[in-house]
Amino acid sequence: MQLTVHWSDLWVPASMIVLGIILSSVTRRRRQTAVSQGSRTHWEWLPFVFGLATALGELSLLLDLPDPWTTMLDVIARALALTTVFMVFRTVFILFTRGTRRVFRRRGADTISSG
């Protein structure tokens, strides 16, 4: 079965890469304060890594590269995809722990003030 890829199929990965760069530049100030607190999430790079993994996979098909190059690009794309999954789980875990800390901190403040 022959897969066909067109240049127009690269718009979504390219837009995800641009979105990741824009998010990174917009959140630069928040990142600097997060580094001092030791709580970085790197969520702003998720679209960039996802777009890069998708673009590498589509480029190997689009350029009709020889098998060794296609294999290397597929391995790199899979590694980036696994990195993206790891980053998503880490971000969700960090946001969950932050949320539970806030909930328990508020409950503790409420019980102290009412007691």
Side-chain angles (χ1 to χ4, degrees):
M1 183 168 104
Q2 179 68 24
L3 296 175
T4 58
V5 178
H6 303 286
W7 284 104
S8 61
D9 293 339
L10 290 176
W11 281 107
V12 173
S15 63
M16 296 295 278
I17 290 170
V18 170
L19 176 66
I21 292 170
I22 290 171
L23 282 173
S24 175
S25 64
V26 168
T27 60
R28 180 173 292 148
R29 183 172 294 150
R30 283 186 51 202
R31 257 186 299 150
Q32 291 170 349
T33 58
V35 167
S36 64
Q37 296 173 355
S39 63
R40 290 181 71 167
T41 60
H42 303 290
W43 66 270
E44 67 271 6
W45 287 107
L46 289 175
F48 178 82
V49 176
F50 178 75
L52 188 62
T54 307
L56 284 175
E58 289 183 1
L59 272 177
S60 66
L61 294 173
L62 184 63
L63 298 176
D64 196 28
L65 296 173
D67 286 337
W69 288 99
T70 304
T71 304
M72 285 190 326
L73 285 176
D74 284 344
V75 168
I76 292 170
R78 285 188 179 129
L80 287 172
L82 286 175
T83 303
T84 305
V85 169
F86 173 75
M87 289 172 67
V88 166
F89 282 131
R90 184 175 182 269
T91 301
V92 167
F93 177 75
I94 288 172
L95 293 176
F96 177 75
T97 55
R98 284 182 190 169
T100 54
R101 279 188 210 150
R102 285 187 182 170
V103 167
F104 288 122
R105 211 179 293 155
R106 287 184 185 163
R107 282 188 185 170
D110 291 341
T111 57
I112 291 172
S113 64
S114 64

